[in-house]
Amino acid sequence: WCRDAVQQQQVQRPVLLSVQYPFACFLSLVLGDITQKGYEKKRAKLLAPYVPQTQGVEPAFQKESKPQLPVPSAAPASAPAAASASKFHRARSGGARDERYRSDIHTEAVQAALAKHKEQKMALPMPTKRRSTFVQSPADACTPPDTSSASEDEGSLRRQAALSAALHQSLQNAESWINRSIQGSSTSSSASSTLSHGEGKGTSGSLADVFANTRIENLSVPPDVTATTSSSSSSSSARPAAIDLPPSGIVKGMHKGSNRSSLMDTADGVPVSSRVSTKIQQLLNTLKRPKRPPLKEFFVDDFEEIVEVPQPDPNQPKPEGRQMTPVKGEPLGVVCNWPPALEAALQRWGSTQAKCPCLTALDVTGKPIYTLTYGKLWSRSLKLAYTLLNKLGTKNEPVLKPGDRVALVYPNNDPVMFMVAFYGCLLAEVVPVPIEVPLTRKDAGGQQIGFLLGSCGIALALTTEVCLKGLPKTQNGEIVQFKGWPRLKWVVTDSKYLSKSPKDWQPNISAAGTEPAYIEYKTSKEGSVMGVTVSRVAMLSHCQALSQACNYSEGETIVNVLDFKKDAGLWHGILTNVMNKLHTISVPYSVMKTCPLSWVQRVHAHKAKVALVKCRDLHWAMMAHRDQRDVSLSSLRMLIVTDGANPWSVSSCDAFLSLFQSHGLKPEAICPCATSPEAMTIAIRRPGVPGAPLPGRAILSMNGLSFGVIRVNTEDKNSALTVQDVGHVMPGGMMCIVKPDGPPQLCKTDEIGEICVSSRAGGMMYYGLAGVTKNTFEVIPVNSAGSPVGDVPFVRSGLLGFVGPGSLVFVVGKMDGLLTVSGRRHNADDIVATGLAVESIKTVYRGRIAVFSVSVFYDERIVVVAEQRPDASEEDSFQWMSRVLQAIDSIHQVGVYCLALVPANTLPKTPLGGIHISQTKQHFLEGSLHPCNILMCPHTCVTNLPKPRQKQPGVGPASVMVGNLVAGKRIAQASGRDLGQIEDNDLVKKHQFLTEVLQWRAQATPDHPLFLLLNAKGTTVCTATCLQLHKKAERIASVLSDKGHLNAGDNVVLLYPPGIELITAFYGCLYAGCIPVTVRPPHAQSLTVSKAACILTTQALMRLLRSREAAGAVDVKTWPTIIDTDDLPRKRLAQLYKPPTPEMLAYLDFSVSTTGMLTGVKRSLLWLEARKAFRAVKLWIQCRLGAQKSLLQRREGGLWSGHQEFCCCLPLGEQGILPGVKVVIVNPETKGPLGDSHLGEIWVNSPHTASGYYTIYDNETLQADHFNTRLSFGDAAQTLWARTGYLGFVRRTELTAASGERHDALYVVGALDETLELRGLRYHPIDIETSVSRTHRSIAECAVFTWTNLLVVVVELCGCEQEALDLVPLVTNVVLEEHYLIVGVVVVVDPGVIPINSRGEKQRMHLRDSFLADQLDPIYVAYNM
């Protein structure tokens, strides 16, 4: 720490000092904003006037932060204001960077961090996007410049546009390797409409060919990127970069003579030539090594403790200083003429100094349009107060009474009407609540404002006539009911509508007390709006403290560029000016848009002593400065920078000083201050003595700040934060620093914490919120032992900082911008500054970046959202995103979970045009952000995945010898009732086959309806009674024998859509002794397999089979006999066929399995004979499986037996396990039995299982394994079992079976061949798909599969293509939250793309092969990093 005593014109060098101070560390100090590249920069500045300008960059952009010699202006001094405005607009176009976050040191640090990566070859797979999803953003002209700010306050995110030549050159190197590897991967994923993003560029195509011809080594053993290894470095200092790049040997281009296509095999051995596969391999290579030391991984089987809280790093810096003591400001002086209340001051000046100017308003061009005198303010406020109290209702029932709250709805360009309304309310003793003018029914945050109005009980709104006419109206001309707002009565406060008060009427002006004076609204981090109530005595005390700190004297002129309705704009420009009889020149935001130099001109014209600005205003003035050089700022004794609490304000102040020092601006006049709605003004730098040394700066380590400690930046100059002080504590105030979380424990002297203030001049409560008020406005600090330190209550300011040497206050961030990731604290503003330092001018629209965190899987994850310039190319955008990830990782040592770009002008805005952060976060979580580019990095960020336990041992052969109760485990088997009990019925013995049953039913109950066919509306279109079905079946059997000349046992294809015709044809085949094979029309694949002798179908399908198109696909001569059943002859069959044995084949059940295999299952007549045929157990669990802990155990192969609700599968009790059926749960690998409650394959023994697969190759080994198999041990009876292919378990319940024993319930969890093995755990696709389908209304269907240990999720989008990218974070989040899995690839496709077989089951392996062979034509493919 030291003071800057060196003249600005001398060559400066960094100075390091060490001071013995309560900080247990050395503090370093830099004079000015100088870096090691000082010499080159100084040389570049001096030569700048003589060097040709860079094409397309304006001279103002080319200046460095502290040019010692002003650059000669290109425009003549007499340039008119209009020209100034137009040039200013050109300068502000699209991607200019924001001076609020501008720092040459930081920019150089970011470039240096990126330069570290320049030698590495990066292989990030670029997302694949369909051409139709490219969003054309509205052009610059569509957006008024006031939308160009980027955070909750209206500060515009405008940063200096140009980098110095040296920086530009160093970035070229860093860009080249990204270009080399990325541009090629931007190629299309299909030949139809998924086009490459850089179609016009020749390099893109050639690079695409290189990628298409890459060869992947060691394909047979893909790397398991999903399991984190423990071999990585344990110290955080040696951690690798966030995006690890593969060694050069992993992906090699093929030599010229080799084949052009890169052949890869899918899991089924299908050769694939695909760029998709190449991109997945790039992704694998990118993810190959762990990105940062993983947290200690293990799984706790205890309630919600899935993940261990990360253990603190033993090497992390810890605070070492002594406990701080509260710091007091100077005493609040007693001035004899200070009024007892602010209203008394107004009465005094209004009566005695009536003609003195109080407030001057400007027109749109920046010229004064009206000046309100103190006399006018007093008289008009008096009229309004009288009207409010006496003229709105009747004498007996007034609408307003003292203490009621009213809304003030005034536009930002009308300070005069607002000031009259504000003081009118004070005189009437009603409480004004200033809010923004609502523009539409659905303004961002409008609903929360409505909640505030409702909770304050507001029924009346004051406004101007012009404003009222501009509010949105209904068709009847009434003001629309704004969303969430209470019903309001609107009162116009223009003078002509007010009643003059009688001479004997006087307002009640008493000494200021603790009653509420006004309510200022404040938006919290979550988006809720709260009203900070300020008492009359606090308002008065705050004005007194500001008067003393700023040394205001009567008659001074101040220029106010801030919003006069809240914060410092209200405190200085509306309240303190009346106390001190100041003259305020109010420069509205709309004037700043057209004439950014207007506030400087007002200071010059009125010789103003004080100006109230933000960094944004300094920046705009610098940009427009060259258009008017004849301004003087020598009159300014205080330039109050009200967002001095922003740690990035130091560069703006330095740059403005260096430019305007030649215009008379004194270095000691720059006075940063820190404010908050709750504590009001916390600290302000007092005007300095001319010639005295300026305060020094702190160069802090960002790594230290993330652990909450103050450390001089020594280890890495790239991750440093330069902060300036915001002066001393306010007069009459006391300040302490407390820990930001937990009890309000006082910090140590070298520790960062939340600034708390105790003063009469602060807010008193959040209106109507007693609980939150206690935690914010009534804080009693405690020491390390937990004992209270004094009994004075403090107010939390919401600012993070520390008190430095000389009791100077330093602010390093806001609580609202705090992102706590894995126990470390990062500041959103710092991350915005880093993003803007990565050459954002090409990509980011007007520097609009929002940073927030979302809670995913037990930790906060950082999300960065930026608006993309309309003219930014896909390659530029993806390149910028990739480099932002690297820069944030290098500078802040934290990974970004999601980086999204949205079209320009689409993020929700605050009233003054900044980005509405909480609304943006809500849109992101709801899936309504509609990004045009997105990059998810869950592999980088999520390091706390649980590690599965070892698989539990099953029942071994040795332990079975002991009997069925094995080491406390009962063998998992169950059975239905004995089939013999229900077969003693005469009818059962008489009618053995279904054909005989139908004949009997046709005689016994001929009119009983068996089948109803419903249409889409649910109305019956066709019925079949017992007699109708029997007669039609007879006719079909007759046609088969006459026309088809078929014999018993011949296969007949039934080519029908689902319906009654299919059923009658089926029974007709049984009557004729033929074997029906049902086939979905017009699918010819199973015709050859089943060796069909005949086809039964309808006339319409028959014409299709004989059409020219069909002849082109299949030789018509190979078709078997085709018979249509629409017009059947009325001929009865002579004799119905009766099978000789029940074991004979009844029908073939052909279908394509979910793994893509076509099989025909042989069903015997015995299968049909069983009264309750055992249906293949197929219970899809469509609900989320209960506790996630149990789901994990289920995946491990074990089940938790402590609770019954661990699984939402339905128990298939005696209704489920059919008579005559035995069930056993078997380990599918060892074929040995498993214990009770263990997950395994369900094997079935019953008289009516299927008899085998139908095949033309007679391969019997598969048949024996599936239909007639034995347990490998533990079954003395050598029972023959059929394998169902389904996973499940048997569990003994508390219910009692008919036999008197406890009932065994069978649970089914999914098909065995569909299970996914990931990270040593077993997952069922349906579980993941069900979770994904719930995340967004536009997901029609979902399917998942794995490829090289990456989970691929395919979703069908039933909404507009704009929503495609919204699904990527939602899918990633839900799979991580509910299944503890990181999604590798998200594919968004059109409805109907996911193949489904005839049973309605998804064919995931077909989908996988289509994806890898590049045949899906996806809307978007995202590769998660």
Side-chain angles (χ1 to χ4, degrees):
W1 306 81
C2 74
R3 299 186 176 273
D4 184 358
V6 185
Q7 293 302 311
Q8 290 285 332
Q9 276 71 23
Q10 292 175 350
V11 177
Q12 302 171 349
R13 294 178 179 276
V15 179
L16 282 171
L17 299 179
S18 68
V19 184
Q20 293 300 320
Y21 196 71
F23 291 87
C25 59
F26 288 109
L27 295 178
S28 104
L29 183 51
V30 172
L31 303 173
D33 205 1
I34 298 298
T35 70
Q36 291 183 338
K37 296 185 180 175
Y39 169 72
E40 287 85 359
K41 288 175 62 179
K42 188 78 66 177
R43 183 172 172 272
K45 284 177 204 164
L46 293 171
L47 295 177
Y50 314 103
V51 177
Q53 293 173 10
T54 312
Q55 189 64 32
V57 179
E58 297 210 17
F61 282 142
Q62 296 180 332
K63 296 184 183 70
E64 297 298 335
S65 69
K66 300 183 79 170
Q68 300 307 315
L69 299 173
V71 181
S73 171
S78 59
S84 153
S86 66
K87 289 187 179 179
F88 172 65
H89 280 304
R90 283 202 300 277
R92 299 184 59 186
S93 68
R97 288 162 52 194
D98 178 5
E99 198 69 10
R100 280 198 321 141
Y101 294 99
R102 183 191 163 289
S103 160
D104 282 348
I105 287 186
H106 192 61
T107 302
E108 288 182 14
V110 169
Q111 309 312 333
L114 290 173
K116 289 181 182 176
H117 299 271
K118 69 182 178 185
E119 296 305 321
Q120 298 170 297
K121 302 291 180 286
M122 188 168 176
L124 285 188
M126 187 165 172
T128 306
K129 188 189 288 190
R130 187 182 287 174
R131 167 64 68 190
S132 54
T133 60
F134 292 177
V135 182
Q136 290 302 316
S137 311
D140 251 24
C142 306
T143 312
D146 67 330
T147 61
S148 60
S149 59
S151 65
E152 280 290 359
D153 55 7
E154 66 272 19
S156 118
L157 270 175
R158 184 94 37 254
R159 300 203 40 166
Q160 198 176 22
L163 296 161
S164 67
L167 286 179
H168 190 73
Q169 186 57 44
S170 73
L171 266 182
Q172 293 301 321
N173 302 334
E175 269 169 19
S176 57
W177 50 263
I178 297 185
N179 279 333
R180 280 200 298 274
S181 61
I182 284 179
Q183 271 188 305
S185 62
S186 67
T187 49
S188 66
S189 121
S190 77
S192 56
S193 61
T194 325
L195 302 173
S196 134
H197 308 312
E199 285 176 287
K201 300 180 183 177
T203 54
S204 181
S206 59
L207 282 164
D209 289 340
V210 171
F211 269 102
N213 299 336
T214 51
R215 149 172 89 82
I216 312 300
E217 296 186 348
N218 299 329
L219 185 65
S220 57
V221 188
D224 184 2
V225 300
T226 52
T228 348
T229 59
S230 56
S231 60
S232 61
S233 159
S234 59
S235 80
S236 59
S237 60
R239 42 189 290 292
I243 299 174
D244 262 348
L245 307 175
S248 56
I250 292 198
V251 180
K252 297 178 182 171
M254 299 175 86
H255 57 81
K256 290 181 182 176
S258 61
N259 186 2
R260 282 189 62 84
S261 66
S262 143
L263 284 180
M264 300 180 67
D265 282 354
T266 65
D268 292 338
V270 182
V272 173
S273 169
S274 158
R275 292 197 182 100
V276 172
S277 313
T278 312
K279 288 189 177 188
I280 290 182
Q281 191 62 36
Q282 287 177 27
L283 181 55
L284 289 174
N285 295 337
T286 305
L287 303 173
K288 195 153 189 173
R289 298 192 298 272
K291 308 308 175 294
R292 51 173 46 81
L295 307 176
K296 188 179 170 190
E297 296 181 333
F298 73 101
F299 173 71
V300 182
D301 186 4
D302 188 19
F303 298 107
E304 288 295 315
E305 296 174 23
I306 305 292
V307 197
E308 185 195 13
V309 179
Q311 296 300 314
D313 180 357
N315 300 321
Q316 78 179 45
K318 295 182 177 63
E320 298 162 359
R322 57 176 173 77
Q323 180 180 293
M324 77 158 300
T325 51
V327 179
K328 290 186 177 179
E330 72 257 36
L332 192 58
V334 180
V335 181
C336 57
N337 63 349
W338 269 354
L342 200 58
E343 301 91 325
L346 174 60
Q347 185 178 29
R348 174 187 170 190
W349 303 128
S351 308
T352 63
Q353 305 280 339
K355 293 192 176 172
C356 285
C358 170
L359 177 70
T360 298
L362 306 183
D363 65 10
V364 154
T365 62
K367 303 258 171 50
I369 190 173
Y370 180 80
T371 296
L372 180 73
T373 62
Y374 278 94
K376 280 285 183 191
L377 175 60
W378 168 245
S379 64
R380 287 170 64 178
S381 302
L382 211 59
K383 278 170 75 176
L384 177 59
Y386 177 75
T387 304
L388 291 177
L389 291 177
N390 299 290
K391 294 295 181 181
L392 294 182
T394 63
K395 193 168 187 180
N396 296 329
E397 289 186 21
V399 172
L400 279 179
K401 51 188 185 296
D404 285 353
R405 276 77 50 207
V406 294
L408 302 192
V409 186
Y410 291 87
N412 290 315
N413 58 0
D414 197 348
V416 171
M417 294 296 288
F418 172 82
M419 193 169 190
V420 169
F422 190 90
Y423 279 101
C425 289
L426 293 185
L427 292 174
E429 295 181 280
V430 297
V431 181
V433 184
I435 59 169
E436 307 300 337
V437 178
L439 301 176
T440 66
R441 199 175 169 276
K442 294 182 178 177
D443 281 352
Q447 195 168 353
Q448 286 77 15
I449 290 283
F451 175 78
L452 172 70
L453 298 178
S455 63
C456 290
I458 292 176
L460 204 69
L462 308 185
T463 189
T464 64
E465 188 175 22
V466 174
C467 183
L468 190 70
K469 285 178 180 173
L471 291 176
K473 309 280 196 306
T474 62
Q475 290 177 335
N476 305 333
E478 297 173 0
I479 293 168
V480 300
Q481 180 63 31
F482 296 107
K483 195 174 179 183
W485 283 38
R487 291 210 167 273
L488 295 178
K489 181 180 178 185
W490 294 83
V491 176
V492 175
T493 60
D494 295 47
S495 271
K496 57 185 176 184
Y497 298 109
L498 302 180
S499 305
K500 192 169 184 183
S501 60
K503 288 187 177 176
D504 59 344
W505 186 86
Q506 285 296 324
N508 175 33
I509 300 177
S510 58
T514 56
E515 61 277 2
Y518 69 94
I519 294 175
E520 180 174 320
Y521 82 86
K522 173 233 167 137
T523 306
S524 74
K525 186 177 182 179
E526 293 75 34
S528 57
V529 172
M530 298 177 287
V532 177
T533 308
V534 179
S535 66
R536 289 179 70 228
V537 68
M539 178 171 71
L540 182 70
S541 301
H542 189 226
C543 290
Q544 292 170 348
L546 285 177
S547 302
Q548 182 171 327
C550 301
N551 200 16
Y552 284 131
S553 55
E554 287 180 22
E556 279 189 323
T557 301
I558 65 173
V559 173
N560 177 26
V561 196
L562 309 177
D563 182 2
F564 50 76
K565 296 194 292 295
K566 58 190 291 193
D567 210 75
L570 173 69
W571 304 332
H572 290 263
I574 302 290
L575 304 179
T576 308
N577 82 324
V578 167
M579 165 161 302
N580 294 287
K581 204 194 76 178
L582 305 177
H583 177 201
T584 300
I585 316 286
S586 186
V587 183
Y589 194 61
S590 52
V591 171
M592 290 292 291
K593 289 188 301 186
T594 54
C595 183
L597 206 61
S598 56
W599 73 269
V600 176
Q601 293 166 346
R602 290 300 104 206
V603 170
H604 170 73
H606 293 268
K607 302 218 169 3
K609 294 294 176 78
V610 179
L612 291 151
V613 297
K614 288 194 171 184
C615 294
R616 143 206 99 185
D617 310 313
L618 302 180
H619 171 59
W620 287 0
M622 284 189 288
M623 291 175 67
H625 149 262
R626 64 184 173 282
D627 296 328
Q628 187 163 359
R629 287 176 297 171
D630 57 345
V631 291
S632 168
L633 298 181
S634 56
S635 62
L636 274 185
R637 61 179 186 81
M638 282 188 88
L639 177 61
I640 301 176
V641 183
T642 54
D643 56 351
N646 174 359
W648 300 95
S649 61
V650 57
S651 294
S652 303
C653 296
D654 286 349
F656 187 80
L657 174 63
S658 65
L659 190 60
F660 281 93
Q661 200 166 356
S662 58
H663 294 267
L665 178 65
K666 298 183 275 290
E668 64 273 10
I670 293 180
C671 300
C673 74
T675 65
S676 89
E678 292 86 355
M680 303 175 79
T681 306
I682 293 157
I684 186 167
R685 191 189 291 173
R686 316 298 196 260
V689 181
L694 295 175
R697 279 83 187 271
I699 315 288
L700 304 177
S701 157
M702 279 198 186
N703 184 51
L705 289 176
S706 73
F707 289 108
V709 298
I710 303 161
R711 290 289 179 271
V712 170
N713 186 60
T714 52
E715 72 279 1
D716 181 3
K717 67 181 177 60
N718 292 339
S719 51
L721 181 67
T722 305
V723 287
Q724 65 180 349
D725 68 277
V726 288
H728 293 88
V729 183
M730 291 294 285
M734 186 161 57
M735 177 185 291
C736 68
I737 314 291
V738 302
K739 294 191 184 263
D741 34 30
Q745 183 183 330
L746 284 174
C747 289
K748 295 182 176 173
T749 49
D750 60 341
E751 192 174 6
I752 301 289
E754 184 175 7
I755 297 173
C756 295
V757 176
S758 176
S759 161
R760 289 177 68 196
M764 60 189 280
M765 64 177 177
Y766 293 127
Y767 192 90
L769 301 171
V772 195
T773 293
K774 190 164 183 62
N775 292 336
T776 305
F777 293 91
E778 301 166 23
V779 176
I780 305 288
V782 298
N783 57 24
S784 54
S787 308
V789 180
D791 54 0
V792 181
F794 283 74
V795 177
R796 289 183 183 271
S797 68
L799 298 180
L800 292 166
F802 60 96
V803 179
S807 298
L808 288 173
V809 181
F810 289 82
V811 178
V812 296
K814 296 179 183 174
M815 288 292 290
D816 281 356
L818 198 61
L819 315 168
T820 307
V821 182
S822 299
R824 291 177 61 202
R825 303 201 293 252
H826 305 276
N827 196 282
D829 279 346
D830 299 348
I831 290 173
V832 169
T834 300
L836 286 168
V838 186
E839 280 213 312
S840 58
I841 194 161
K842 285 190 206 166
T843 307
V844 180
Y845 178 70
R846 296 189 165 180
R848 290 170 63 82
I849 298 181
V851 174
F852 52 88
S853 65
V854 293
S855 182
V856 181
F857 195 58
Y858 303 100
D859 202 357
E860 284 188 44
R861 316 286 176 189
I862 294 177
V863 179
V864 179
V865 181
E867 288 190 359
Q868 178 177 308
R869 283 179 58 122
D871 55 350
S873 70
E874 295 290 312
E875 282 86 357
D876 283 347
S877 300
F878 185 71
Q879 184 177 321
W880 180 78
M881 293 163 85
S882 310
R883 304 180 69 200
V884 165
L885 295 179
Q886 289 180 337
I888 291 174
D889 186 81
S890 297
I891 302 285
H892 305 277
Q893 285 92 45
V894 68
V896 174
Y897 179 68
C898 177
L899 179 51
L901 293 178
V902 299
N905 261 331
T906 56
L907 288 179
K909 294 172 184 143
T910 58
L912 287 178
I915 297 174
H916 199 292
I917 302 289
S918 57
Q919 199 89 16
T920 302
K921 176 177 175 177
Q922 191 177 340
H923 286 192
F924 174 80
L925 293 172
E926 288 172 352
S928 55
L929 198 59
H930 306 327
C932 49
N933 275 302
I934 198 162
L935 193 53
M936 298 285 296
C937 308
H939 288 100
T940 314
C941 301
V942 181
T943 54
N944 59 339
L945 288 175
K947 195 171 183 178
R949 296 175 302 181
Q950 295 301 310
K951 290 191 176 181
Q952 298 180 7
V955 180
S959 47
V960 170
M961 312 280 282
V962 184
N964 259 2
L965 284 168
V966 188
K969 291 177 185 168
R970 204 177 54 81
I971 287 196
Q973 56 188 7
S975 58
R977 281 181 292 168
D978 187 3
L979 200 58
Q981 297 170 10
I982 61 168
E983 293 211 344
D984 299 334
N985 191 319
D986 289 340
L987 279 175
V988 171
K989 292 175 181 174
K990 190 174 178 184
H991 306 301
Q992 287 196 342
F993 303 111
L994 274 180
T995 50
E996 295 173 342
V997 174
L998 182 56
Q999 291 173 65
W1000 168 67
R1001 292 286 305 272
Q1003 292 170 358
T1005 55
D1007 298 325
H1008 176 74
L1010 282 175
F1011 298 100
L1012 294 177
L1013 183 64
L1014 306 179
N1015 65 8
K1017 293 180 180 175
T1019 53
T1020 305
V1021 291
C1022 187
T1023 61
T1025 63
C1026 298
L1027 185 61
Q1028 287 170 337
L1029 181 60
H1030 168 65
K1031 284 189 171 180
K1032 194 156 188 185
E1034 275 191 322
R1035 285 196 241 157
I1036 288 173
S1038 171
V1039 167
L1040 284 174
S1041 61
D1042 293 352
K1043 275 194 189 177
H1045 311 295
L1046 300 186
N1047 302 316
D1050 283 346
N1051 293 347
V1052 176
V1053 168
L1054 308 185
L1055 206 60
Y1056 293 94
I1060 288 175
E1061 288 173 318
L1062 174 65
I1063 299 166
T1064 53
F1066 186 90
Y1067 278 94
C1069 290
L1070 295 186
Y1071 276 9
C1074 299
I1075 297 167
V1077 182
T1078 57
V1079 175
R1080 276 181 107 179
H1083 203 295
Q1085 191 176 0
S1086 54
L1087 300 180
T1088 53
V1089 178
S1090 62
K1091 295 186 283 193
C1094 176
I1095 298 176
L1096 288 182
T1097 186
T1098 62
Q1099 283 181 356
L1101 284 169
M1102 192 162 136
R1103 283 196 295 273
L1104 179 64
L1105 293 178
R1106 289 180 171 159
S1107 65
R1108 197 174 290 168
E1109 290 85 353
V1114 180
D1115 185 0
V1116 180
K1117 295 173 186 172
T1118 62
W1119 288 114
T1121 307
I1122 303 176
I1123 300 172
D1124 83 81
T1125 56
D1126 287 352
D1127 297 316
L1128 293 170
R1130 297 185 172 277
K1131 184 178 176 185
R1132 290 184 61 185
L1133 195 62
Q1135 183 184 359
L1136 291 185
Y1137 174 80
K1138 181 165 183 179
T1141 66
E1143 283 79 18
M1144 280 195 67
L1145 191 59
Y1147 74 96
L1148 289 176
D1149 186 3
F1150 268 95
S1151 69
V1152 181
S1153 73
T1154 55
T1155 52
M1157 186 184 287
L1158 176 71
T1159 51
V1161 179
K1162 296 192 283 192
R1163 304 290 189 190
S1164 69
L1165 287 157
L1166 184 64
W1167 194 94
L1168 288 176
E1169 173 219 352
R1171 285 294 169 270
K1172 292 184 178 177
F1174 179 77
R1175 294 158 296 167
V1177 184
K1178 189 178 69 176
L1179 184 68
W1180 296 122
I1181 306 140
Q1182 292 289 348
C1183 48
R1184 180 180 171 186
L1185 300 179
Q1188 293 170 326
K1189 163 173 55 193
S1190 316
L1191 188 55
L1192 254 181
Q1193 291 167 310
R1194 179 185 117 191
R1195 290 167 188 152
E1196 294 167 33
L1199 282 161
W1200 184 47
S1201 54
H1203 290 270
Q1204 192 167 352
E1205 62 272 16
F1206 65 88
C1207 186
C1208 299
C1209 316
L1210 302 179
L1212 311 176
E1214 286 190 293
Q1215 299 293 320
I1217 300 181
L1218 300 177
V1221 176
K1222 292 179 187 170
V1223 170
V1224 67
I1225 307 297
V1226 180
N1227 184 329
E1229 292 159 11
T1230 65
K1231 295 190 180 176
L1234 289 170
D1236 189 62
S1237 294
H1238 275 237
L1239 196 63
E1241 188 182 5
I1242 301 170
W1243 285 15
V1244 174
N1245 169 265
S1246 84
H1248 49 254
T1249 51
S1251 55
Y1253 287 126
Y1254 187 90
T1255 170
I1256 54 175
Y1257 306 114
D1258 297 325
N1259 181 359
E1260 297 298 328
T1261 55
L1262 189 66
Q1263 199 147 309
D1265 182 53
H1266 278 227
F1267 294 91
N1268 301 297
T1269 190
R1270 292 182 170 88
L1271 292 173
S1272 58
F1273 59 86
D1275 183 11
Q1278 290 292 297
T1279 313
L1280 285 177
W1281 301 88
R1283 302 179 65 167
T1284 63
Y1286 287 92
L1287 280 168
F1289 58 94
V1290 168
R1291 189 160 169 273
R1292 180 148 280 189
T1293 67
E1294 299 299 321
L1295 304 173
T1296 307
S1299 60
E1301 296 182 357
R1302 279 171 65 196
H1303 170 65
D1304 293 315
L1306 171 66
Y1307 294 80
V1308 184
V1309 293
L1312 179 63
D1313 58 1
E1314 291 178 354
T1315 56
L1316 312 173
E1317 286 277 343
L1318 288 165
R1319 300 184 66 253
L1321 300 173
R1322 183 190 282 135
Y1323 293 84
H1324 295 275
I1326 189 68
D1327 294 337
I1328 300 173
E1329 289 160 0
T1330 304
S1331 297
V1332 169
S1333 296
R1334 286 198 316 266
T1335 58
H1336 197 277
R1337 64 184 182 282
S1338 295
I1339 295 179
E1341 190 56 272
C1342 167
V1344 302
F1345 55 84
T1346 55
W1347 174 246
T1348 53
N1349 289 317
L1350 285 176
L1351 179 66
V1352 182
V1353 178
V1354 181
V1355 289
E1356 289 181 356
L1357 174 71
C1358 63
C1360 62
E1361 288 187 348
Q1362 258 191 317
E1363 294 179 322
L1365 279 74
D1366 283 315
L1367 306 183
V1368 177
L1370 295 183
V1371 167
T1372 307
N1373 289 359
V1374 76
V1375 176
L1376 187 55
E1377 285 273 357
E1378 297 188 4
H1379 303 277
Y1380 314 153
L1381 274 180
I1382 293 177
V1383 177
V1385 184
V1386 180
V1387 187
V1388 184
V1389 295
D1390 295 309
V1393 167
I1394 295 173
I1396 293 177
N1397 67 10
S1398 55
R1399 294 201 296 258
E1401 298 164 333
K1402 299 167 194 166
Q1403 294 180 264
R1404 299 178 180 90
M1405 296 306 104
H1406 274 338
L1407 179 67
R1408 185 191 69 185
D1409 293 343
S1410 301
F1411 171 65
L1412 294 173
D1414 218 353
Q1415 295 165 352
L1416 287 187
D1417 183 22
I1419 298 170
Y1420 192 79
V1421 183
Y1423 301 94
N1424 285 350
M1425 297 297 135

